[in-house]
Amino acid sequence: MRVKLMDQFWEPRIRRTVQETIPYQWKALNDEIEGAEPSHAVENFRIAAGEQAGTFYGMVFQDSDVAKWIEAAAYGLRHFPNPQLEAVIDAVVDLMGRAQQPDGYLNTYFSVAEPEKRWKDFSFGHELYCAGHLIEAAVAYYETTGKRAFLDMMCRYADYIDRIMGPESDQMHVYCGHEEIELALVKLFRATNEQRYLRLSRYFVEERGKQPSFLKEEPGFGGTFKDRWFELDYHQAHAPVREQETAEGHSVRAMYLYAAMADLAIACEDATLADSLRRLWDHLTSKRMYITGGLGSQGHAERFTVDYDLPNDTAYTETCASIGLVLLAYRMLQIETDGKYGDVMERVLYNGMLSGISLDGTRYFYVNPLEVHPAVARYRHDMQHVKTERVPWFGCACCPPNIARLLTSLDTYFFTQNGTEIAMHLYAANESEFDVLGSVMRLHTETRYPWDGSVRVQVHADGPIDCALSFRIPSWCRHPRVHVNGEALAPDAVVERGYARIRRAWREGDEIELYFPMVVERIESNPKVRENAGKIALQYGPIVYCLEEADNGPDLTDICFPAESEFAAAYREDVLGGVVVLSGEGLRSDPGWEDELYRPVARRKHSVPISAVPYAFWGNRKPGEMIVWIREK
Amino acid sequence: MRVKLMDQFWEPRIRRTVQETIPYQWKALNDEIEGAEPSHAVENFRIAAGEQAGTFYGMVFQDSDVAKWIEAAAYGLRHFPNPQLEAVIDAVVDLMGRAQQPDGYLNTYFSVAEPEKRWKDFSFGHELYCAGHLIEAAVAYYETTGKRAFLDMMCRYADYIDRIMGPESDQMHVYCGHEEIELALVKLFRATNEQRYLRLSRYFVEERGKQPSFLKEEPGFGGTFKDRWFELDYHQAHAPVREQETAEGHSVRAMYLYAAMADLAIACEDATLADSLRRLWDHLTSKRMYITGGLGSQGHAERFTVDYDLPNDTAYTETCASIGLVLLAYRMLQIETDGKYGDVMERVLYNGMLSGISLDGTRYFYVNPLEVHPAVARYRHDMQHVKTERVPWFGCACCPPNIARLLTSLDTYFFTQNGTEIAMHLYAANESEFDVLGSVMRLHTETRYPWDGSVRVQVHADGPIDCALSFRIPSWCRHPRVHVNGEALAPDAVVERGYARIRRAWREGDEIELYFPMVVERIESNPKVRENAGKIALQYGPIVYCLEEADNGPDLTDICFPAESEFAAAYREDVLGGVVVLSGEGLRSDPGWEDELYRPVARRKHSVPISAVPYAFWGNRKPGEMIVWIREK
């Protein structure tokens, strides 16, 4: 399967990621961005290699920033060859090789800062987590360039881990407090066809949650404050994975675990893991997911809280958790073509993931709340995780390279192919190519999605190819239409589990037309979501909108929409790089309050024009307030 | 001035405080309440007196719990003589005498646990704070019983403090991180007529906020986490008191400081202090006060945050801060008879103060939020200060004896007398007696307030007494009427700054009738209060109402009121010991959501009967949700 995006929404973003973000992040990793928080991540490798004096600086998982950056760059190189960049990567891989220890171990923190603590703090040491990101980077770089050096280094590391950890009595019976290596090992297995990597991944996943847990015996267990939010469920280690019923704990950790479970469900054809995932998915997306696809309701321990607890202004909704949800959703689609996975993947891509990076690709949000009042957020203790403006880098910089690697690999999320079924999950103009039982099928897709819901797909094939083409019918669309070669298909006849599934002998020139009429939808929350009671969010196609102070002035929470008011949607080239802007009438309180704090209801309101812009692009203009959920009168 | 309450609202509560709460709290202070958090407060004195082995236990200010309890008991003894109780107090005073050090110092923590740290931690040591509460207790006990022992002990303590602290070069230039001694010293001055206590109070108040502050040099400064919420403003030490423009910091600290400033403004006839207080009062009550009179928007550092930031579910709104606001409001009324002070005093007494104690007088709230969802509050990190049920005692038990001393002294808050003006601020059936230029005037007041707004006041005087009788016209009342001897007075003619002021030669049998018609008012917040946008609170007379799960089922935030719906008010003997219950129709979402989290707006609502009960009495039935601010449709 090869996919080449040629659209106006994603392609320019991916290009910018390659041309602006990746060079920018390399500078950040080398501490060359003025005014940004220091990284020291490359320097740490130099120190670990013994080539420079100094002490380790940064998070215990600082290595993973470099790994994710290499992975992002490697994906970018597939579409935008760049020998200079490749030379930079080769050099840093060389450096890593010199920092790698004779037994294969590679971790700058535990080599430089606390060598005596190697493999002593699985709760928070992040050693296997960093190994996982290095492995993912190595696989990506190998797959793009065919160069084996990094891959071989990582095989040595994985072999070392495989020797000392596992089920045998002379091995450590452990798993990492932060999942990541599990899904990385599946990638390494796929790249090398070495079964032991798959076995080790499965071991880690199945060891997890056995009681009593070794994690509880570790001095580091419980986190800084040793409190209830850092108990076993924080690490998804409160029960064996097949017995976990609900999405719990640190939300990034949870997503990475579930993604690995999905990989194993596929690679090992393990139906019990798939069953667990369906349960966890339904719980996650029906009880604990923001409308943006954001995950994690609480800053403290960066975690899920309780069902329907989705506060907007104190949300954690880490960019990495959104990325993790994309990883999971796509893997679920690999397990089964069900629209519920594709719908969520689309939701998070256009909203809670994309909000993590600025239009120019060099400023970031780590936390993606759905309501920001800068003066309050800057002051309140329970909002200290909220940044009111995008920043150039973070002391804990997991998100920026993570979003880069997702964007540069975004083409890989558009389709799945399962034998003779090709399913299209996301819509954007693209050229794609598939091997169907030895025949080459190419699809040429034209659309202005997400700003317009018309999609035209042309089939190119040398001869007739008997296969199913399945197209996701977005759940936000009330009246979808599907035409094949000009003939309308009755949705009831072709749509199953959220996909129009059309099996036939496809021939050169066949054309599928999909019409997903976009209107401005007012979305309400389940009434159990306390924070959103009486409020609506505006959605246009897959895009969730917000109000910004830049368009609507301050005190956004004072605005409400009459139930009968209409919104107009219009593409505006001049706004935020070109977006559909929603315009309508809202109501605001009359002035005249002055120094009163409480008074008998007067209900004096006046009408004001309101503009809404895509949530993902908030904070790209002057600083100010932002809200997603708006009161309805 | 003597006031004897004879009403159906306060008098039974005060009686219960004397008969149930005070004996109960004595048991709590002696660790005799099963299932309650330990106190050890009396035991600490035994250990400090060298009469028992053991170590100090509790908060550094544990002594003040006993002091406030003695003060509460002393006020109670005025109305309900009780020789056994007096003997108990005498015994504990004796014990304190034996624990007092030869130089007059009395503090069990710094005598037993850390003697080397005496006067070394003004930020958090609370030594002068504890001294202040002991002084208040001693003055109260002396004024009730005429017994001087405790008072003399405290004069020795105060004299010692006065020797070592003050403006001279050989004295410590200090003040306490937690204000309290300042107002206590004014009481001691009034009880003893010793000017040096007034001078010392003034010194502490005027030393406060001088820059650079000695507090910043202390190791303890900055609190546990040494963070920005524990900076100088936490202690109201960021600027000299006359230059403070806004109410900042720890809200209890702030109230006690302002109360002392008011005492000094009166005692020293200091107009500059009064000016500062007017400014602080207006800021406090127009930007940072909950509708219940609660203060303190944030649990972390128990403090004010920023203007209009009044979250309901994470509110701190400590019972002690409400009590402090009563202390302040009454003192402001002593400075000037202005309805804005009386209105707030009434608001906090009936709502945010009274919520701190259960109907039976033995269960308490420390924190008084305006919205509680138990499952969420029990889980969320930013709601850990919130108790979802009233508890029998606290590890930090400042509030229970504080509310007891306020209730047993409540009669002293009803009137002020300033020469020939007698002003009545609160309404409840009572008999009161005043000395007006040597003549005795007695007022006999009949009313069912706060359940009914009719008040009849009869004058009893041997001869005509030329004076002004002023009656607060509650700001919640839209159409007040005032009659004297059956004749209606035009409000415009007699009402000035919130009081009907009637000056004449009052004679035996004169009768004033006040009519404050009570209706169910829907109150809205200033639109800048984000959390209350689109919501109303129900108020009936001075009482703020709430919805409880006990009456209305779960998911209270789903309820909204149509703008046109009516509420009926009816006194219900059988509810919560007899209260006016409000009944009306609300709307709830139709069922049928099941596992959906978001969907296009359906706006299917159905009508449900809704009952609202006084906020102050919430949590006296089965545990469950509670909200004050209710959405309006």
Side-chain angles (χ1 to χ4, degrees):
Chain A
M1 182 192 338
R2 286 196 315 107
V3 181
K4 183 168 171 52
L5 297 178
M6 306 170 71
D7 71 312
Q8 293 301 309
F9 189 92
W10 290 115
E11 197 282 336
R13 288 204 151 71
I14 295 165
R15 184 183 293 271
R16 200 173 306 126
T17 305
V18 169
Q19 294 176 346
E20 305 292 336
T21 304
I22 286 175
Y24 175 90
Q25 295 194 348
W26 179 245
K27 284 187 190 166
L29 295 170
N30 286 277
D31 302 300
E32 293 165 7
I33 305 288
E34 211 170 320
E37 291 202 53
S39 165
H40 211 258
V42 176
E43 186 115 330
N44 287 336
F45 280 104
R46 280 197 209 100
I47 295 164
E51 297 170 8
Q52 191 166 309
T55 53
F56 178 93
Y57 173 88
M59 310 299 291
V60 69
F61 47 82
Q62 209 81 342
D63 291 356
S64 64
D65 295 350
V66 183
K68 281 188 275 191
W69 178 84
I70 296 175
E71 189 184 348
Y75 296 140
L77 287 171
R78 293 174 309 150
H79 304 301
F80 303 93
N82 182 336
Q84 291 89 338
L85 177 60
E86 219 173 300
V88 168
I89 298 172
D90 288 339
V92 76
V93 166
D94 268 7
L95 171 61
M96 286 176 168
R98 299 192 299 274
Q100 190 170 24
Q101 305 208 356
D103 56 7
Y105 186 78
L106 175 56
N107 183 300
T108 71
Y109 180 81
F110 288 98
S111 296
V112 172
E114 298 203 280
E116 72 286 2
K117 292 209 177 149
R118 185 197 288 196
W119 308 129
K120 294 269 196 295
D121 177 11
F122 285 85
S123 302
F124 288 96
H126 287 77
E127 284 163 290
L128 292 174
Y129 167 90
C130 287
H133 276 303
L134 287 165
I135 290 167
E136 281 201 274
V139 170
Y141 195 58
Y142 164 70
E143 290 185 340
T144 297
T145 63
K147 296 180 183 171
R148 291 201 61 101
F150 196 10
L151 188 72
D152 289 343
M153 282 163 54
M154 287 305 108
C155 286
R156 280 208 294 132
Y157 194 1
D159 291 344
Y160 159 65
I161 294 166
D162 187 45
R163 263 196 316 279
I164 63 169
M165 300 177 195
E168 302 304 325
S169 58
D170 60 345
Q171 291 180 301
M172 301 173 72
H173 303 165
V174 293
Y175 47 87
C176 190
H178 196 317
E179 302 89 335
E180 157 60 26
I181 191 151
E182 298 84 352
L183 68 87
L185 285 168
V186 177
K187 284 190 175 179
L188 192 60
F189 154 68
R190 291 200 190 114
T192 61
N193 212 26
E194 293 286 356
Q195 287 285 337
R196 64 179 177 278
Y197 302 136
L198 185 64
R199 264 201 315 271
L200 182 58
S201 167
R202 187 169 182 147
Y203 169 76
F204 283 139
V205 166
E206 296 189 335
E207 186 68 14
R208 188 167 218 95
K210 283 188 186 168
Q211 303 303 325
S213 171
F214 79 101
L215 287 177
K216 292 200 81 160
E217 305 306 315
E218 291 191 332
F221 180 78
T224 315
F225 300 112
K226 304 271 177 197
D227 64 31
R228 55 190 288 210
W229 294 278
F230 291 97
E231 270 294 324
L232 284 176
D233 63 337
Y234 171 84
H235 304 280
Q236 296 76 46
H238 52 295
V241 298
R242 289 183 182 80
E243 293 166 27
Q244 295 185 20
E245 304 277 339
T246 53
E248 301 295 348
H250 185 268
S251 51
V252 180
R253 280 172 162 79
M255 291 309 104
Y256 286 15
L257 168 64
Y258 305 162
M261 287 165 67
D263 282 337
L264 291 169
I266 297 160
C268 307
E269 294 180 11
D270 186 327
T272 61
L273 281 176
D275 282 344
S276 270
L277 286 169
R278 288 186 193 98
R279 217 163 51 219
L280 289 165
W281 176 272
D282 288 345
H283 175 257
L284 174 73
T285 56
S286 71
K287 304 283 193 296
R288 299 190 173 183
M289 181 184 74
Y290 287 86
I291 191 172
T292 55
L295 300 176
S297 297
Q298 175 169 296
H300 187 80
E302 313 177 350
R303 62 173 291 156
F304 297 110
T305 57
V306 297
D307 287 352
Y308 300 109
D309 183 39
L310 296 163
N312 294 307
D313 54 359
T314 57
Y316 200 68
T317 44
E318 181 180 343
T319 304
C320 286
S322 292
I323 292 165
L325 182 55
V326 176
L327 302 183
L328 172 61
Y330 184 74
R331 285 163 171 81
M332 293 309 293
L333 287 168
Q334 291 177 309
I335 293 176
E336 58 201 4
T337 307
D338 190 316
K340 68 185 178 184
Y341 308 123
D343 285 335
V344 165
M345 185 166 74
E346 179 179 78
R347 179 183 292 286
V348 65
L349 279 174
Y350 282 110
N351 302 293
M353 179 284 291
L354 195 54
S355 57
I357 188 165
S358 66
L359 285 180
D360 73 358
T362 68
R363 294 292 180 277
Y364 308 95
F365 279 135
Y366 189 113
V367 165
N368 298 272
L370 284 75
E371 176 173 334
V372 174
H373 189 296
V376 173
R378 279 195 295 265
Y379 192 82
R380 281 261 295 271
H381 181 258
D382 55 356
M383 297 181 189
Q384 289 314 292
H385 53 288
V386 172
K387 299 267 186 231
T388 62
E389 296 175 41
R390 294 167 186 279
V391 299
W393 202 248
F394 302 97
C396 173
C398 49
C399 300
N402 213 359
I403 202 166
R405 74 182 179 131
L406 181 66
L407 286 170
T408 56
S409 63
L410 195 70
D411 52 293
T412 65
Y413 292 89
F414 274 65
F415 294 90
T416 50
Q417 182 180 2
N418 193 342
T420 61
E421 184 191 28
I422 294 166
M424 187 168 186
H425 310 296
L426 301 170
Y427 297 106
N430 74 82
E431 298 270 13
S432 57
E433 195 178 295
F434 304 87
D435 176 342
V436 183
L437 302 177
S439 302
V440 174
M441 171 174 260
R442 284 182 298 118
L443 300 178
H444 174 82
T445 303
E446 287 177 13
T447 177
R448 288 189 60 247
Y449 207 92
W451 308 127
D452 180 274
S454 299
V455 180
R456 191 166 57 161
V457 182
Q458 282 178 319
V459 174
H460 297 290
D462 288 338
I465 297 180
D466 199 354
C467 71
L469 290 181
S470 297
F471 299 93
R472 186 173 60 87
I473 307 297
S475 62
W476 52 257
C477 179
R478 297 188 189 215
H479 304 293
R481 284 174 291 139
V482 181
H483 291 226
V484 175
N485 296 332
E487 186 191 335
L489 304 186
D492 287 356
V494 293
V495 177
E496 189 202 328
R497 296 180 80 187
Y499 281 75
R501 297 167 198 251
I502 314 166
R503 181 173 288 278
R504 62 167 66 190
W506 294 100
R507 291 163 198 278
E508 173 66 25
D510 279 350
E511 192 168 276
I512 304 100
E513 286 165 298
L514 307 163
Y515 299 102
F516 305 130
M518 290 182 178
V519 296
V520 182
E521 292 279 6
R522 295 173 174 232
I523 307 295
E524 63 181 351
S525 295
N526 189 302
K528 287 184 178 291
V529 181
R530 297 177 309 130
E531 308 262 352
N532 297 346
K535 296 179 182 170
I536 54 116
L538 296 173
Q539 198 172 321
Y540 182 75
I543 309 274
V544 174
Y545 278 72
C546 71
L547 307 188
E548 279 202 273
E549 184 174 341
D551 298 309
N552 303 292
D555 299 327
L556 294 177
T557 51
D558 181 40
I559 295 170
C560 68
F561 292 146
E564 66 286 358
S565 67
E566 300 277 339
F567 280 85
Y571 186 78
R572 290 273 303 275
E573 192 79 47
D574 58 322
V575 177
L576 294 165
V579 297
V580 166
V581 172
L582 309 185
S583 316
E585 294 283 309
L587 298 173
R588 268 189 180 274
S589 300
D590 275 357
W593 272 86
E594 288 159 20
D595 274 350
E596 276 178 299
L597 194 48
Y598 307 107
R599 72 178 186 196
V601 160
R603 297 197 195 84
R604 284 189 298 269
K605 303 277 183 193
H606 62 276
S607 186
V608 289
I610 297 294
S611 290
V613 295
Y615 165 77
F617 301 155
W618 91 272
N620 275 294
R621 296 175 295 180
K622 63 179 183 181
E625 298 175 31
M626 181 277 295
I627 59 171
V628 169
W629 290 97
I630 308 149
R631 286 185 300 114
E632 200 180 61
K633 191 72 190 171
Chain B
M1 182 192 339
R2 285 195 319 105
V3 181
K4 183 168 171 52
L5 297 179
M6 306 168 73
D7 70 311
Q8 292 303 305
F9 188 92
W10 290 116
E11 197 281 337
R13 287 203 154 70
I14 294 165
R15 184 183 294 270
R16 200 173 307 125
T17 306
V18 169
Q19 295 177 344
E20 306 291 336
T21 304
I22 286 174
Y24 175 90
Q25 294 193 349
W26 179 245
K27 283 187 191 169
L29 294 170
N30 285 277
D31 303 301
E32 293 165 7
I33 304 288
E34 211 170 319
E37 290 202 55
S39 164
H40 211 260
V42 176
E43 186 116 330
N44 287 336
F45 280 105
R46 280 198 209 99
I47 295 165
E51 297 170 8
Q52 191 165 310
T55 53
F56 178 93
Y57 172 87
M59 311 299 291
V60 70
F61 45 83
Q62 207 81 342
D63 291 357
S64 65
D65 295 350
V66 183
K68 281 187 276 190
W69 177 83
I70 294 174
E71 189 184 347
Y75 296 139
L77 286 172
R78 294 175 308 150
H79 303 299
F80 304 93
N82 182 335
Q84 290 88 341
L85 177 60
E86 218 173 301
V88 168
I89 298 172
D90 288 339
V92 76
V93 166
D94 268 6
L95 171 62
M96 286 176 170
R98 299 193 299 276
Q100 190 171 23
Q101 305 206 358
D103 56 8
Y105 186 80
L106 176 55
N107 183 300
T108 71
Y109 180 80
F110 288 98
S111 297
V112 172
E114 297 202 281
E116 71 288 1
K117 292 209 178 148
R118 186 196 286 197
W119 308 130
K120 293 268 194 297
D121 178 10
F122 285 85
S123 302
F124 288 96
H126 288 77
E127 283 162 291
L128 292 175
Y129 167 91
C130 286
H133 276 302
L134 287 165
I135 290 168
E136 283 202 272
V139 170
Y141 196 57
Y142 164 69
E143 290 185 339
T144 297
T145 62
K147 295 181 183 172
R148 291 202 60 100
F150 196 9
L151 187 72
D152 289 342
M153 281 163 54
M154 287 305 108
C155 286
R156 279 207 294 133
Y157 194 0
D159 292 344
Y160 159 65
I161 294 166
D162 187 44
R163 265 198 314 280
I164 63 168
M165 299 178 197
E168 302 304 326
S169 58
D170 61 344
Q171 290 179 302
M172 301 172 73
H173 303 166
V174 293
Y175 46 87
C176 189
H178 196 317
E179 303 89 334
E180 157 62 24
I181 189 147
E182 298 84 353
L183 67 88
L185 286 168
V186 178
K187 284 190 176 179
L188 191 60
F189 154 69
R190 292 203 188 110
T192 62
N193 211 26
E194 292 287 356
Q195 286 286 339
R196 65 180 177 279
Y197 301 136
L198 185 63
R199 265 201 315 271
L200 182 59
S201 169
R202 189 170 179 145
Y203 169 76
F204 283 138
V205 166
E206 296 189 336
E207 185 68 14
R208 186 166 222 96
K210 283 189 186 166
Q211 304 302 324
S213 170
F214 79 101
L215 287 177
K216 292 199 82 161
E217 305 306 315
E218 292 192 330
F221 180 78
T224 315
F225 300 111
K226 304 271 176 196
D227 63 33
R228 56 189 287 208
W229 295 279
F230 290 97
E231 269 294 325
L232 284 176
D233 65 336
Y234 170 84
H235 305 280
Q236 297 76 46
H238 53 294
V241 299
R242 289 183 181 80
E243 294 167 25
Q244 295 186 20
E245 303 278 337
T246 52
E248 300 295 346
H250 186 267
S251 51
V252 180
R253 280 172 162 81
M255 291 310 103
Y256 286 16
L257 168 64
Y258 304 161
M261 287 166 66
D263 282 338
L264 291 171
I266 297 160
C268 307
E269 293 179 11
D270 186 327
T272 60
L273 280 175
D275 283 344
S276 270
L277 286 169
R278 289 186 193 98
R279 218 164 47 222
L280 289 165
W281 176 272
D282 288 345
H283 175 257
L284 174 73
T285 56
S286 70
K287 304 284 192 296
R288 300 190 173 183
M289 182 184 73
Y290 286 86
I291 191 172
T292 54
L295 301 176
S297 298
Q298 175 169 297
H300 187 78
E302 313 177 350
R303 63 173 289 158
F304 298 111
T305 57
V306 298
D307 287 353
Y308 300 110
D309 183 40
L310 296 163
N312 294 308
D313 55 356
T314 58
Y316 201 67
T317 44
E318 181 180 342
T319 303
C320 286
S322 291
I323 292 164
L325 182 54
V326 175
L327 301 184
L328 172 61
Y330 184 73
R331 285 162 171 82
M332 294 308 295
L333 287 167
Q334 291 176 308
I335 293 175
E336 58 201 5
T337 307
D338 190 316
K340 67 185 178 184
Y341 308 124
D343 285 337
V344 165
M345 185 167 75
E346 178 177 80
R347 181 185 289 286
V348 65
L349 279 174
Y350 282 110
N351 302 293
M353 179 284 291
L354 194 54
S355 57
I357 188 166
S358 66
L359 285 180
D360 73 358
T362 66
R363 293 291 181 278
Y364 308 95
F365 279 135
Y366 188 112
V367 166
N368 298 272
L370 284 75
E371 176 173 335
V372 173
H373 189 296
V376 173
R378 279 196 295 266
Y379 191 82
R380 281 260 295 269
H381 182 259
D382 55 354
M383 297 181 189
Q384 289 314 292
H385 53 287
V386 173
K387 299 266 187 230
T388 62
E389 296 175 40
R390 295 167 186 278
V391 299
W393 202 248
F394 301 97
C396 173
C398 49
C399 300
N402 212 0
I403 202 166
R405 73 182 179 132
L406 180 66
L407 285 170
T408 55
S409 62
L410 195 71
D411 52 295
T412 66
Y413 293 88
F414 274 66
F415 295 90
T416 51
Q417 182 179 1
N418 193 341
T420 61
E421 185 192 28
I422 294 166
M424 187 169 188
H425 311 296
L426 300 171
Y427 297 105
N430 74 82
E431 297 271 13
S432 56
E433 196 177 295
F434 305 87
D435 176 341
V436 182
L437 303 176
S439 301
V440 173
M441 170 172 262
R442 285 181 299 118
L443 300 178
H444 175 82
T445 303
E446 287 178 12
T447 176
R448 287 189 60 248
Y449 205 93
W451 308 127
D452 180 274
S454 299
V455 179
R456 190 165 56 163
V457 181
Q458 283 177 321
V459 175
H460 298 290
D462 288 341
I465 298 180
D466 199 352
C467 70
L469 292 180
S470 298
F471 300 94
R472 185 173 62 88
I473 306 297
S475 62
W476 53 257
C477 180
R478 298 189 189 214
H479 304 293
R481 284 174 289 140
V482 180
H483 292 226
V484 174
N485 296 331
E487 184 191 337
L489 305 186
D492 286 356
V494 293
V495 177
E496 189 203 328
R497 296 179 79 189
Y499 282 76
R501 297 165 198 254
I502 313 165
R503 181 173 289 277
R504 60 167 68 190
W506 292 100
R507 291 165 197 275
E508 173 66 23
D510 279 349
E511 190 168 278
I512 305 101
E513 285 164 301
L514 308 163
Y515 299 102
F516 305 130
M518 290 183 178
V519 296
V520 183
E521 292 280 5
R522 292 171 176 233
I523 307 295
E524 63 181 351
S525 294
N526 189 302
K528 288 183 177 290
V529 182
R530 298 176 310 129
E531 307 262 352
N532 297 346
K535 296 178 183 173
I536 54 117
L538 296 172
Q539 199 173 319
Y540 181 75
I543 309 274
V544 174
Y545 279 72
C546 72
L547 306 188
E548 279 202 273
E549 184 174 338
D551 298 307
N552 303 290
D555 299 326
L556 295 177
T557 51
D558 181 40
I559 294 170
C560 68
F561 291 147
E564 66 285 0
S565 67
E566 301 276 340
F567 280 85
Y571 186 78
R572 289 274 304 275
E573 193 77 47
D574 58 323
V575 176
L576 294 165
V579 296
V580 166
V581 173
L582 309 185
S583 318
E585 295 282 310
L587 298 173
R588 269 187 179 273
S589 300
D590 274 358
W593 271 86
E594 289 161 15
D595 275 347
E596 275 177 298
L597 193 48
Y598 307 107
R599 72 177 185 196
V601 160
R603 298 198 193 83
R604 285 190 297 267
K605 303 275 184 195
H606 63 276
S607 185
V608 289
I610 296 295
S611 291
V613 296
Y615 166 77
F617 302 155
W618 91 272
N620 274 294
R621 297 175 295 180
K622 64 180 181 181
E625 297 174 33
M626 182 278 293
I627 60 172
V628 169
W629 291 97
I630 308 149
R631 286 184 300 116
E632 199 179 63
K633 191 69 190 172

